[in-house]
Amino acid sequence: MDVREQNWNNFCNHHLRDWHGIWTRYSSQGRVIESFKSIRSFRSNADRSKVIHTNSYTYADGRTESKTWKLKKPEIASVFFEEGAGAFVSQELKPGSLFAVELFFMHEELRHSVIAAYYDGQSLKRTVSIREHAEGFPGQYWSTELNLWPEKKLTGNWQGTSVTMTPDLKVSPPVPAKLRWPVPGNKTFFFPDAISLSCPGQVSVGTPFTIAAHWQVTSSYLQKLTISYDEWGAFSMLTFEEFHLADAAGLS
């Protein structure tokens, strides 16, 4: 199958539904700016060549708002792995313009994404945590906590596999991986529900950088996404890793 077709199918196979979520926006220093409900709806036509993406927001003061985008198979500006994890990608860093990355995690009926946004293409302005459920508004799995946690160190022997997608949408074979966290030199944010984001406080053309996030789904299972940009500010790769906590006798 053509890699562009595979990428589109990876997106459609996992994300064409209504996602009921809680968005929480944070300042670059980790202060809660606002939190509100949303439904992100993805609907396709009969042959799945087009998708209508609608976000419906309900804010704390009762205001409502909707935004709609049309996605077409050849034009999708995002990359997704077969497992459903992926990213909405800014292809290139341009000083003075909005630069943002959204990393998506999935597990059964749950979805989580984190956003790092640089409004001027240089300085981190905002981060966002979006906790979603396909069967209704979060309540059983996701907590109601909003404030960032203190630093949380992952202990134990986390072993897993890693796959990488390049800008031409080619995916590497899986290779063994060990958990490395956080990214040296980055700012790290510890969101509620065992979700973390590691991103630069400043980005610039001429210096390669990476943005990474992980979600500890259970006490012994963790997902991690890492997106990398080269010295010219161009998207260079997205890596998806899955880890299990192992003990001396094997996987626990």
Side-chain angles (χ1 to χ4, degrees):
M1 182 183 295
D2 176 77
V3 291
R4 294 177 65 86
E5 185 83 12
Q6 183 64 60
N7 183 61
W8 178 260
N9 287 342
N10 292 344
F11 168 71
C12 290
N13 290 343
H14 294 279
H15 297 273
L16 295 187
R17 48 175 60 183
D18 289 343
W19 293 98
H20 302 77
I22 301 296
W23 293 47
T24 307
R25 292 173 172 163
Y26 300 85
S27 71
S28 60
Q29 302 304 313
R31 178 179 58 84
V32 175
I33 298 173
E34 63 177 340
S35 187
F36 53 88
K37 287 184 176 181
S38 76
I39 299 177
R40 293 202 276 189
S41 176
F42 298 86
R43 294 284 186 270
S44 71
N45 59 354
D47 65 1
R48 298 207 314 187
S49 61
K50 298 178 182 178
V51 170
I52 301 299
H53 169 193
T54 300
N55 285 5
S56 300
Y57 308 106
T58 302
Y59 297 102
D61 61 5
R63 290 182 300 115
T64 60
E65 182 183 15
S66 291
K67 297 181 179 180
T68 298
W69 298 265
K70 295 180 181 179
L71 309 178
K72 295 181 180 180
K73 186 185 298 186
E75 301 172 0
I76 185 170
S78 53
V79 290
F80 285 91
F81 293 96
E82 186 176 359
E83 298 84 355
F88 285 165
V89 177
S90 286
Q91 294 291 333
E92 185 180 5
L93 174 65
K94 296 180 180 179
S97 301
L98 171 66
F99 174 83
V101 169
E102 183 170 8
L103 300 174
F104 286 88
F105 299 95
M106 293 195 67
H107 180 67
E108 298 176 350
E109 300 301 306
L110 297 169
R111 188 173 78 163
H112 179 268
S113 67
V114 291
I115 299 172
Y118 301 77
Y119 288 177
D120 59 359
Q122 294 179 317
S123 303
L124 180 67
K125 178 68 174 180
R126 181 175 295 178
T127 65
V128 186
S129 171
I130 306 171
R131 295 172 282 181
E132 296 175 308
H133 197 289
E135 297 181 345
F137 278 102
Q140 293 186 334
Y141 181 86
W142 300 118
S143 74
T144 58
E145 295 182 49
L146 300 180
N147 292 322
L148 295 183
W149 288 2
E151 181 177 358
K152 184 178 184 232
K153 293 185 178 180
L154 290 166
T155 59
N157 182 21
W158 292 89
Q159 300 288 333
T161 57
S162 173
V163 292
T164 296
M165 183 182 294
T166 47
D168 59 7
L169 303 180
K170 293 180 179 178
V171 180
S172 69
V175 296
K178 289 187 177 182
L179 180 62
R180 293 178 173 83
W181 188 262
V183 178
N186 279 5
K187 299 182 68 170
T188 304
F189 301 87
F190 298 92
F191 300 115
D193 295 321
I195 297 152
S196 298
L197 170 67
S198 182
C199 60
Q202 298 280 331
V203 293
S204 61
V205 175
T207 303
F209 62 92
T210 61
I211 296 171
H214 72 59
W215 172 26
Q216 188 175 350
V217 184
T218 70
S219 60
S220 60
Y221 173 55
L222 182 145
Q223 299 179 3
K224 179 184 174 185
L225 282 163
T226 304
I227 190 166
S228 301
Y229 287 80
D230 63 22
E231 60 186 297
W232 294 279
F235 166 56
S236 61
M237 70 178 67
L238 178 70
T239 301
F240 175 58
E241 297 170 297
E242 293 182 283
F243 295 96
H244 290 85
L245 185 60
D247 58 20
L251 292 179
S252 57

